[in-house]
Amino acid sequence: AEPMVKKEVFTKTIEKKQIAHVEANKETLAPKATFKTAKKTQQTKAVEVAMEGMKRGDTQQVESVLDHTPKAIQDEFKLRLMIKENPEKVLPYIKSNYRNFTQQESLLALAAQAQQRAGLHKSALNFYKVLVVKQPRDPRWRVGMAISLESRGYKAEAKKMYELALSMNTLAPSLQRFSNQRLLVL
């Protein structure tokens, strides 16, 4: 009878360890469907509120929730706000705070947008050209190039870029409308 007791104890210990492992790793072991029903964290809610505020142009709302978001997201929102308020300060800020920023598409895109908004279209074009090489299937960079080309007086080249972006079939509806409107003018 002695070996049976030890076996039962051993089995129960293994079962407890398995249950503890499952409990500790619920999120990674859970089926995908459960993620839809998971409660949102304070951080996730803050990011969503900040994104909605950004879309509406509500700077105060964005700034009010930034403290509850991860550092990387805080930086992106701060740069996006800076693009709206002081676009000429974005590139110097990126250069001084991010070594090798040219290797990060998201920072290149922010730099290109800022340069464009600051009226520095030649510089913006240089960033968009790098983005096109790094992400050739992303039509947004062609629209960005078209805007800067048009601003510099290169209307035929801008028209080609708008047409190319529209032909890629992955352009966001708002950029499709914008590109079509610009093509009517060109």
Side-chain angles (χ1 to χ4, degrees):
E2 210 52 11
M4 286 298 276
V5 172
K6 288 182 180 176
K7 185 177 179 184
E8 281 181 21
V9 170
F10 178 74
T11 305
K12 285 183 180 179
T13 303
I14 295 294
E15 286 175 358
K16 284 181 184 177
K17 286 182 181 178
Q18 288 174 336
I19 290 169
H21 174 73
V22 169
E23 288 296 320
N25 296 292
K26 264 185 184 175
E27 290 182 16
T28 57
L29 299 173
K32 289 182 181 178
T34 60
F35 291 118
K36 292 179 183 175
T37 59
K39 290 184 179 179
K40 293 180 182 177
T41 64
Q42 182 180 5
Q43 201 175 63
T44 304
K45 288 177 188 175
V47 170
E48 288 176 354
V49 169
M51 287 175 63
E52 285 301 314
M54 187 65 74
K55 286 179 188 175
R56 286 193 318 275
D58 188 347
T59 305
Q60 288 180 329
Q61 183 177 17
V62 174
E63 289 174 347
S64 71
V65 296
L66 276 181
D67 291 340
H68 303 289
T69 61
K71 173 106 173 75
I73 293 173
Q74 286 179 20
D75 288 347
E76 183 175 342
F77 279 116
K78 286 176 184 176
L79 284 168
R80 290 188 181 282
L81 289 173
M82 199 183 300
I83 287 172
K84 289 182 177 199
E85 296 168 359
N86 299 303
E88 68 285 347
K89 293 183 178 181
V90 173
L91 185 57
Y93 178 86
I94 290 173
K95 283 181 175 179
S96 67
N97 289 287
Y98 298 94
R99 290 184 332 136
N100 303 325
F101 80 93
T102 57
Q103 304 305 310
Q104 298 177 47
E105 287 87 358
S106 61
L107 290 173
L108 281 170
L110 291 168
Q113 292 168 22
Q115 294 299 94
Q116 194 169 63
R117 193 157 210 168
L120 302 168
H121 294 285
K122 186 175 181 180
S123 176
L125 278 167
N126 290 331
F127 286 120
Y128 283 123
K129 287 175 186 175
V130 173
L131 285 163
V132 165
V133 170
K134 288 182 174 283
Q135 297 178 340
R137 294 188 176 149
D138 194 330
R140 295 175 298 169
W141 314 142
R142 269 94 177 171
V143 173
M145 287 181 75
I147 292 167
S148 285
L149 286 166
E150 187 179 351
S151 295
R152 297 198 70 215
Y154 300 106
K155 293 184 181 195
E157 292 85 349
K159 185 176 178 180
K160 287 178 188 174
M161 282 296 139
Y162 285 126
E163 290 170 344
L164 181 58
L166 286 165
S167 74
M168 296 176 84
N169 297 325
T170 54
L171 192 59
S174 59
L175 286 177
Q176 286 177 3
R177 285 188 300 276
F178 175 82
S179 297
N180 282 317
Q181 288 171 349
R182 295 312 308 151
L183 283 172
L184 291 173
V185 175
L186 297 173

